[in-house]
Amino acid sequence: QVQVIESGGRLVQAGDSLTLSCTASGPSFRTYTLAWFRQAPGKEREFVGGIMAPDNVINYKDSVKARFAVTRDNDRNTLYLKMNRLIPDDTAKYFCGVRFGFTAQPMNASRYGYWGQGTQVTVSS
């Protein structure tokens, strides 16, 4: 069983930067595929960005590619999401998805078996 905990969300103003963190338990963190998803009220959960095992290939949602950066620290069992130039449309609850090993569909939420409770990001205009 993998425990996943997201943190770092808060209320910010448009144009601000914010970094989210996700810790995942287990001795095999280096082999996990990890991803950030977000879900706004009344909308489906959508892929934001992620790092795939085993080669650490990084993927992003097109609309955030120029503003967001996903990184991982294997020594700390932590995944990060650095968000720059935030806009009101980035307002959502952000979730960290974890799975063991490779997936051919890293942007598909159903491919991840472990999730945290999420952390709320609210961007005011």
Side-chain angles (χ1 to χ4, degrees):
Q1 188 75 7
V2 177
Q3 290 188 319
V4 181
I5 302 174
E6 303 97 336
S7 62
R10 61 182 176 91
L11 173 64
V12 296
Q13 293 188 332
D16 284 354
S17 296
L18 190 64
T19 298
L20 306 182
S21 300
C22 164
T23 59
S25 65
S28 304
F29 184 85
R30 294 174 187 272
T31 67
Y32 297 165
T33 286
L34 306 158
W36 289 100
F37 288 75
R38 66 187 182 188
Q39 189 165 18
K43 295 188 176 181
E44 291 189 355
R45 190 168 295 192
E46 64 174 5
F47 176 83
V48 175
I51 300 180
M52 283 205 304
D55 298 323
N56 288 327
V57 173
I58 299 176
N59 297 290
Y60 292 101
K61 174 181 171 63
D62 285 345
S63 65
V64 306
K65 190 178 299 185
R67 300 184 294 120
F68 290 9
V70 177
T71 58
R72 68 192 292 169
D73 184 337
N74 290 331
D75 291 334
R76 290 180 167 82
N77 277 31
T78 302
L79 176 74
Y80 300 100
L81 179 65
K82 176 67 183 297
M83 303 184 289
N84 298 311
R85 303 192 303 281
L86 284 159
I87 61 177
D89 280 352
D90 294 322
T91 294
K93 197 163 195 178
Y94 285 69
F95 296 88
C96 177
V98 179
R99 61 164 285 120
F100 299 125
F102 173 81
T103 173
Q105 297 181 313
M107 299 184 184
N108 186 337
S110 69
R111 296 295 182 260
Y112 295 82
Y114 302 96
W115 297 90
Q117 295 300 306
T119 186
Q120 178 68 37
V121 174
T122 303
V123 184
S124 65
S125 57

